[in-house]
């Protein structure tokens, strides 16, 4: 993350898709360290993977918060997909991620 290059953030985002346990937490922390202008598009691409959001809703919520101040192209369809998960009340973390997406979508 120190280089701040687009290629580095893309590699980290690809690794985040399949990471589990402590590794996923470490990867999300790494993604959050990239400059917003570099990391926004790869974060959007990661959030577009529904399997990632379902498996790591807390991480997804943190990443959505990161996109609050960034200008990202074609973000609305991704946020709408995550917002549709708001009715999965048995998973509070997933509902939280959906609320984050809804707040960003409706601002």
């Amino acid at each position: 993350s120190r280089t701040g290059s687009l290629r580095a953030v893309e590699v980290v985002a690809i690794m985040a898709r399949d990471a589990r346990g402590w590794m996923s937490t470490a990867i999300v922390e790494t993604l959050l360290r990239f400059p917003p202008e570099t990391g926004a598009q790869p974060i959007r691409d990661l959030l577009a993977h529904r399997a990632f959001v379902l498996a790591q809703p807390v991480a997804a919520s943190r990443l959505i918060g990161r996109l609050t101040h960034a200008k990202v192209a074609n973000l609305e369809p991704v946020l709408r997909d995550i917002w549709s998960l708001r009715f999965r009340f048995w998973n509070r973390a997933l509902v939280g991620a959906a609320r984050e997406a809804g707040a960003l979508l409706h601002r």
Side-chain angles (χ1 to χ4, degrees):
S1 68
R2 289 184 183 169
T3 64
S5 71
L6 182 59
R7 180 67 185 143
V9 74
E10 287 172 348
V11 169
V12 173
I14 289 169
M15 290 176 53
R17 288 184 203 158
D18 299 321
R20 297 288 181 255
W22 68 270
M23 187 61 127
S24 67
T25 305
I27 290 174
V28 168
E29 288 298 322
T30 303
L31 276 173
L32 292 173
R33 292 179 188 263
F34 283 96
E37 60 277 356
T38 305
Q41 191 63 39
I43 288 173
R44 179 237 173 257
D45 295 341
L46 178 60
L47 290 173
H49 290 282
R50 191 177 181 105
F52 171 77
V53 175
L54 291 171
Q56 303 292 331
V58 174
S61 182
R62 294 189 65 203
L63 293 173
I64 291 167
R66 177 66 165 191
L67 296 177
T68 302
H69 305 293
K71 301 284 189 227
V72 183
N74 206 17
L75 183 60
E76 187 174 332
V78 173
L79 294 175
R80 287 198 186 283
D81 188 42
I82 296 171
W83 174 240
S84 71
L85 300 172
R86 68 190 179 278
F87 299 114
R88 296 194 179 198
F89 56 86
W90 57 88
N91 187 337
R92 287 185 178 196
L94 192 55
V95 171
R99 286 186 180 157
E100 290 277 337
L104 187 57
L105 187 63
H106 298 110
R107 69 174 169 119

